[in-house]
Amino acid sequence: MSKLFIPSFPKTCLNYQIPAKVENSPEVHPKSRKKNLSFIKKKEPIIIPDEELYYLCRNGSLLEAEKAIDSIFQQGSKVKRSTYLNLLESCIDSGSIHLGRILHARFGLFPEPDVFLETKLLSMYAKCGGLVDARKVFDSMRERNLYTWSAMIGAYSRELRWKEVSKLFRLMMEDGVLPDDFLFPKILQGCANCGDVETGKLIHSVVIKLGMTSCLRVSNSILAVYAKCGELSLATKFFRRMKERDVVAWNSVLLAYCQNGKHEEAVGLVEEMEKEGIAPGLVTWNILIGGYNQLGKCEAALDLMQKMESFGVTADVFTWTAMISGLIHNGKRYQALDTFKKMFLAGVAPNGVTIMSAVSACSCLKVLNLGSEVHSIAVKMCFMEDLLVGNSLVDMYSKCGKLEDARKVFDSMKIKDVYTWNSMITGYCQAEYCGKAYELFIRMQEENVKPNIITWNTMISGYIRNGDEGEAMDLFQRIEKDGKVQRNTASWNLIIAGYIQNGKKDEALELFRKMQASRFTPNSVTILSLLPACANLLGSKMVREIHGCVLRRKLDAVHAVKNALTDTYAKSGDIEYARTIFKGMETKDIITWNSLIGGYVYHGSYGPALDLFEQMKTLGIKPNRGTLASIILAHGLMGNVDEGKKVFSSIADVYHIIPALEHCSAMVTLYGRSNRPEEALQFIQEMNVQSETPIWESFLTGCRIHGDIDLAIHAAEHLFSLEPDNPSIENMVSMIYALGAKLGRSLEGKKPRKENLLKKPLGQSCIEVRNSIFTFTTGDQSKLCTDVLYPWVEKMCRLDDRSDQYNGELWIEEEGREATCGIHSEKFAMAFGLISSSGGSKTIRILKNLRMCRDCHDTAKYTSKRYGFDILLEDTRCLHHFKNGDCSCKDYW
C-alpha cells in the first residue's frame, strides 16, 4: 500500500458542544445558579425506573421522557448502560434528534462512556439527519474502532457525499483500522460514484494483500469502480481474472463496454454469459438498452426489448422509461409517446420519471391534447406531488401558450424549486407578459427561493422580446450587485442580441468590447449574433475586429461561424476576402456555397457566381431555393434570358422544389433587365403572383428604366391597391400618375393624394472616415457642407457635362429633385470622402437610406473615373460599385 500523507485525528475527550438552550441550563452549569433562600418545602424526588423511561421513549411520549431524564439528572442518579443504549435506539426509531441532543447533553449520567456507547450516539445523529453533529462526535472520540468508521462512512453514504467516503477511507487507513468485507463494498461504491479510480486502485491492492479477492461482494465492487470510471481495460482484465463471476459481475463489465460505446462487444458478452450458464437478468437487458439509446441507436434498443421477451424476461418500468427517454433525446418524440402508450397496454405502470419524460415530449412537440392526457394520468396515479412531474407540466403548458393552466399547476404545487419558478417565469416572458413575470421574480425571492442565472437571463430575454432594452440592461447590471449571481456568457449574448434586434448596432458592438474587457469569453453564439450587424459597407472594420476575436478564441473551428464570416465579408464590400475564407474551409455545406454565390451576385459579378454553381453541380451538391434564386439573378446580370428560364424550369422539374416568391421576383428582374416587359407580365399572370408587392416593385423598375409609362401605371395601380397606406409607395405612385397625366394617359382606380401634398422622405448618407461615422442629409446646411462641400459638389457637376441624364428613362425617384429639396446627401458624402483621402486608400464607402437617383448615380460614375477612386454605395435596392466610370448594377436598380 502506498504511503498516505494525511494527518490523523486528535485523540481528545468527548467535548462536542451541545445546543445553547440545553448547554446554558442551570442543570449543566450549577455554579451559575444564584443560591436564594426559600421557605417552600421541596418535594421529594420521584424515582423513575429505567424500564419506565424506556417505555416512554418506545411509545413516543418524548416530552414525558425528557422531563424524566431531567429529573434523574437533578437527583444525581445514574442511568444503566443498557437503558442509555435503548434510549438512543428509540431516538433512531422515532427520528427524534431533539431528544437525542438532550441525551447527549446528559452524557454524564453514564459513569464511563466507552467506544460502543459513543458509536451509538454517532449513529443516532447520522440516522436522524444530523450529519454535522455526527461528525463532531466522531472527531472528538478518544478511540475509534471498525464499527465507528462504518457508522461514519454509512452516514456520508446515506447523504450521497461520495467524495467524503473516499477521504474517510484514507483517514481510516492512517488510523490503523482496516475495513472488513462488509465495509469495503460501501467505500468502493463511494469511489465509483465520485469517479475516484485512484482510491479504487489503492483498495484493490489492499484487498489483494489481505487475501480477500475470493470474496465475491468485494470483487464485484472493485469491478464496478473500474466500469463506472470508464476504465474498460482494467475492468476487462479484472473480470477475466475473477475465479467466480455472478450476474452482478457480468452486468458491471457490460456497463463498462456500453459506456465506452462498444455495444456490439457487449452483446457478444451476453452470449458468452449464457454459455457459462448465467441467464441474463432484467438489469442486464436494461444496461444494453440504455447503452444503445445513449449511442442514438434507438431501433437496436427496441429490437433488444423484443429479444428479451424471448428469454422470458419481461420489461419493467425502468426498461420502458429508458426506452422512452432515449427516443426523446434522439429527437423521436412521437415514437416516444407511442412507446408510452404501448407501456400501458403491456400493463406496466409508469413512475414519476416516465410521466415527466412523456410530458417533456408533449412540450417539445407542443401537442396540448396529448399533454393534457398525460396530465390526467398523473392526477389519477397520484404523481402530482412529484416535483419533477409538476415542473414538466408547468413547462409544457407554458410552451403551448396555456398560461392559465400552467399557473393552476404552479399554484397547486406545495413544493417549488427554482426550476418551477423559472418555468412559469419563462412562460410569461415568452408571451410578453413581463409584468407578471416580474411579479413572480420578486415573489420567489420573498419566499426565499434565490433566482439563479437562468432566472435572470430569462427576465432579460423577456424584456428584450418586449422591445424594452432599458429594463433588460437594468436587470443585466443588477445580476451581480443585487442577485449575488455571476453573469455568464449567455447573459452577455442576450443583451447584445437584444440591442441588435432593436436596431442599436453601435451599442451592441460596444457591449461586445466590454464583454471581452470583463474577461468573459465570447462563444459562437456571440459571434453569430454580432456579424449580421456588420453586414453593410460601414461594417468592414468591425467584421475584421470580430474575425480577430474568432481566431484568438479558436472559434473558426465552428462551421457556422465561417459561413457567417463569408457572408458578412461579402456584404461589407470585401468579396475577395470572402473568397479567401471560402477556399480555406475544409468542408463546405450548401450555406457556404450560397454565401459566396449570393455575394458575387450582390457585387454584380455574374461570372464567378455561375462558375461556382457549375463547381457545385460537379461535386454533386444539390442547390436549394437560395442558390437557384441567385443563379437566376446572375443570368439577369449577364442578359441571358433563355438560361435564366431554364434554371427556373429546373426548380420544379429537376430539383423538385416549389418555386417561391424570391424565384418569381428574380424572373421578373431577369425579363426587366432585357427589356421584355410583356413576357414579364405574362409570367406574373401565369404564376398567379399578382398579389405580391415585391413582384410589382421589380416590374416597375424595368418599366422605369426602359421608359414604359403605360406598364408603369399598370404596376403603380397594383402597388397602390396592395399597400395604400405605405407612404413610400404612395409617393412613387403619385409621381407616376402625375407623369402619366402629363403624357395624356387615362388613369383608373383609386388615386393617391396630389404630389405636392405628400411629404418626401429625407435622404441620409453615412460615410466612415478615420474610424468615425459622418452623416449627411439632403439639403444639409451644416457649416462643413456650406463652407467646404458645396464648392466641391458644384465643381464636380460643372466638369460633368452630361446633356440628357435620363436618356428616355422615366423620372420616378424616392427623393425630390435637387432644385426643390437641395443637393442629395450622397454627393456630400462623396465630396467629403475625396477631401478626406490621405493618399492611402482609394476606396469610398457610403451607406444611403433611400434609392439612389439617376443624377447621383451618373455623378458617382463620373467621379470614379475622373479621380480614380472605387466608390461603393449601398442603397435600399442594391450595392453599387463604381469603378472607372462603370457601375456593377449595370445601370439597372
Side-chain angles (χ1 to χ4, degrees), residues 675-780:
N675 194 16
R676 293 159 79 162
E678 291 80 10
E679 290 181 62
L681 196 58
Q682 184 183 350
F683 174 83
I684 291 169
Q685 291 167 350
E686 287 176 354
M687 295 302 297
N688 195 25
V689 287
Q690 296 96 324
S691 61
E692 300 294 344
T693 299
I695 295 295
W696 292 110
E697 286 179 336
S698 298
F699 183 75
L700 180 57
T701 299
C703 298
R704 176 178 56 77
I705 295 293
H706 298 295
D708 193 327
I709 185 61
D710 295 311
L711 288 177
I713 291 169
H714 181 69
E717 288 171 347
H718 277 281
L719 280 169
F720 194 57
S721 66
L722 289 170
E723 295 191 36
D725 298 324
N726 187 324
S728 177
I729 287 177
E730 190 178 14
N731 255 308
M732 188 165 49
V733 172
S734 177
M735 281 187 281
I736 294 168
Y737 278 21
L739 189 59
K742 285 180 184 179
L743 297 173
R745 302 298 195 274
S746 60
L747 305 172
E748 299 176 1
K750 183 181 176 183
K751 295 179 177 60
R753 290 173 289 171
K754 289 185 179 180
E755 191 177 355
N756 60 353
L757 296 176
L758 294 171
K759 187 178 180 181
K760 296 283 185 183
L762 182 66
Q764 191 177 77
S765 295
C766 300
I767 182 171
E768 184 178 8
V769 175
R770 299 187 187 94
N771 299 322
S772 296
I773 304 294
F774 295 86
T775 304
F776 300 96
T777 57
T778 294
D780 203 316

Side-chain angles (χ1 to χ4, degrees), residues 554-813:
K554 294 181 172 47
L555 294 172
D556 53 332
V558 180
H559 189 71
V561 170
K562 278 196 171 180
N563 281 346
L565 282 168
T566 305
D567 181 66
T568 308
Y569 270 115
K571 289 177 178 175
S572 64
D574 199 341
I575 189 67
E576 292 307 316
Y577 204 82
R579 182 69 182 244
T580 302
I581 294 174
F582 176 85
K583 286 181 178 178
M585 294 176 70
E586 293 180 6
T587 56
K588 300 177 180 73
D589 58 14
I590 189 62
I591 297 171
T592 318
W593 289 93
N594 283 357
S595 296
L596 195 59
I597 290 171
Y600 274 118
V601 172
Y602 184 61
H603 281 257
S605 302
Y606 55 84
L610 294 172
D611 289 342
L612 284 168
F613 183 57
E614 291 302 318
Q615 288 179 38
M616 269 184 69
K617 291 194 289 185
T618 304
L619 293 169
I621 298 170
K622 185 181 177 182
N624 66 4
R625 294 175 183 273
T627 324
L628 296 166
S630 294
I631 294 305
I632 294 170
L633 289 171
H635 283 298
L637 285 164
M638 191 179 181
N640 196 336
V641 176
D642 292 338
E643 286 299 318
K645 289 166 72 174
K646 286 180 183 177
V647 173
F648 184 81
S649 298
S650 71
I651 294 173
D653 298 342
V654 178
Y655 302 111
H656 310 294
I657 297 170
I658 299 172
L661 179 61
E662 58 188 317
H663 304 114
C664 295
S665 181
M667 282 300 293
V668 173
T669 301
L670 174 84
Y671 288 122
R673 280 184 176 276
S674 298
N675 194 16
R676 293 159 79 162
E678 291 80 10
E679 290 181 62
L681 196 58
Q682 184 183 350
F683 174 83
I684 291 169
Q685 291 167 350
E686 287 176 354
M687 295 302 297
N688 195 25
V689 287
Q690 296 96 324
S691 61
E692 300 294 344
T693 299
I695 295 295
W696 292 110
E697 286 179 336
S698 298
F699 183 75
L700 180 57
T701 299
C703 298
R704 176 178 56 77
I705 295 293
H706 298 295
D708 193 327
I709 185 61
D710 295 311
L711 288 177
I713 291 169
H714 181 69
E717 288 171 347
H718 277 281
L719 280 169
F720 194 57
S721 66
L722 289 170
E723 295 191 36
D725 298 324
N726 187 324
S728 177
I729 287 177
E730 190 178 14
N731 255 308
M732 188 165 49
V733 172
S734 177
M735 281 187 281
I736 294 168
Y737 278 21
L739 189 59
K742 285 180 184 179
L743 297 173
R745 302 298 195 274
S746 60
L747 305 172
E748 299 176 1
K750 183 181 176 183
K751 295 179 177 60
R753 290 173 289 171
K754 289 185 179 180
E755 191 177 355
N756 60 353
L757 296 176
L758 294 171
K759 187 178 180 181
K760 296 283 185 183
L762 182 66
Q764 191 177 77
S765 295
C766 300
I767 182 171
E768 184 178 8
V769 175
R770 299 187 187 94
N771 299 322
S772 296
I773 304 294
F774 295 86
T775 304
F776 300 96
T777 57
T778 294
D780 203 316
Q781 295 295 315
S782 65
K783 186 173 177 58
L784 173 63
C785 290
T786 55
D787 293 354
V788 180
L789 301 183
Y790 268 105
W792 269 81
V793 174
E794 289 175 359
K795 180 183 175 183
M796 284 191 293
C797 292
R798 279 197 310 271
L799 293 170
D800 182 15
D801 56 352
R802 286 171 284 124
S803 53
D804 182 11
Q805 60 193 34
Y806 279 87
N807 194 25
E809 181 183 329
L810 300 177
W811 193 91
I812 304 167
E813 307 291 3

Side-chain angles (χ1 to χ4, degrees), residues 58 299 378 408 442 577 810:
R58 291 293 293 175
E299 296 305 320
K408 284 178 184 176
I442 296 300
Y577 204 82
L810 300 177

Side-chain angles (χ1 to χ4, degrees), residues 194-420:
C194 72
D196 188 359
V197 71
E198 293 305 317
T199 303
K201 289 177 182 177
L202 178 61
I203 293 172
H204 186 182
S205 65
V206 173
V207 166
I208 291 171
K209 290 178 181 178
L210 293 175
M212 294 174 66
T213 52
S214 59
C215 178
L216 189 58
R217 285 184 71 246
V218 175
S219 293
N220 282 347
S221 299
I222 293 170
L223 180 59
V225 172
Y226 291 141
K228 288 186 178 180
C229 293
E231 297 286 345
L232 179 60
S233 176
L234 290 173
T236 306
K237 193 182 292 184
F238 185 84
F239 175 77
R240 293 299 178 193
R241 289 177 179 175
M242 287 176 70
K243 293 178 181 178
E244 182 186 355
R245 294 184 295 217
D246 61 2
V247 70
V248 176
W250 284 95
N251 287 346
S252 292
V253 79
L254 280 170
L255 179 65
Y257 274 96
C258 288
Q259 285 181 339
N260 282 271
K262 297 183 179 295
H263 297 85
E264 302 305 325
E265 291 88 336
V267 173
L269 278 172
V270 173
E271 294 173 359
E272 186 183 339
M273 179 180 179
E274 292 177 86
K275 289 177 183 177
E276 288 199 9
I278 298 174
L282 182 60
V283 175
T284 313
W285 292 104
N286 284 351
I287 289 170
L288 288 172
I289 289 167
Y292 272 113
N293 279 320
Q294 285 180 357
L295 201 64
K297 295 184 177 181
C298 298
E299 296 305 320
L302 286 167
D303 290 341
L304 281 175
M305 278 190 72
Q306 294 177 351
K307 190 177 179 181
M308 66 189 285
E309 297 287 342
S310 65
F311 280 81
V313 180
T314 304
D316 68 354
V317 65
F318 300 105
T319 318
W320 287 98
T321 302
M323 196 65 247
I324 292 165
S325 299
L327 289 166
I328 291 169
H329 290 144
N330 288 287
K332 299 182 178 182
R333 298 182 182 94
Y334 280 112
Q335 196 174 353
L337 292 173
D338 187 53
T339 306
F340 181 68
K341 291 177 184 177
K342 288 178 180 177
M343 174 181 172
F344 276 93
L345 293 173
V348 179
N351 59 21
V353 178
T354 327
I355 297 289
M356 180 202 70
S357 299
V359 173
S360 298
C362 297
S363 178
C364 293
L365 296 168
K366 295 186 178 179
V367 282
L368 184 62
N369 57 334
L370 294 177
S372 299
E373 285 183 31
V374 181
H375 185 182
S376 300
I377 293 168
V379 172
K380 289 175 183 176
M381 301 190 73
C382 302
F383 282 117
M384 291 307 295
E385 297 295 321
D386 190 312
L387 182 62
L388 293 176
V389 172
N391 285 351
S392 63
L393 285 167
V394 172
D395 179 68
M396 186 269 293
Y397 282 121
S398 296
K399 285 181 178 174
C400 291
K402 294 292 181 181
L403 294 178
E404 289 184 9
D405 294 324
R407 188 60 186 261
K408 284 178 184 176
V409 176
F410 176 84
D411 290 337
S412 69
M413 292 174 68
K414 295 177 182 177
I415 300 172
K416 300 181 185 76
D417 61 8
V418 68
Y419 302 103
T420 322

Side-chain angles (χ1 to χ4, degrees), residues 479-523:
I479 291 177
E480 295 182 356
K481 183 181 176 183
D482 296 348
K484 308 299 181 188
V485 177
Q486 188 177 15
R487 297 186 192 110
N488 61 8
T489 302
S491 313
W492 287 94
N493 288 349
L494 281 167
I495 201 73
I496 288 169
Y499 272 89
I500 290 172
Q501 178 185 314
N502 292 314
K504 298 189 176 182
K505 297 177 182 178
D506 293 337
E507 291 89 336
L509 296 172
E510 188 58 35
L511 278 168
F512 173 63
R513 295 186 182 108
K514 285 182 179 177
M515 176 186 186
Q516 295 176 87
S518 301
R519 297 183 180 179
F520 279 90
T521 304
N523 58 17

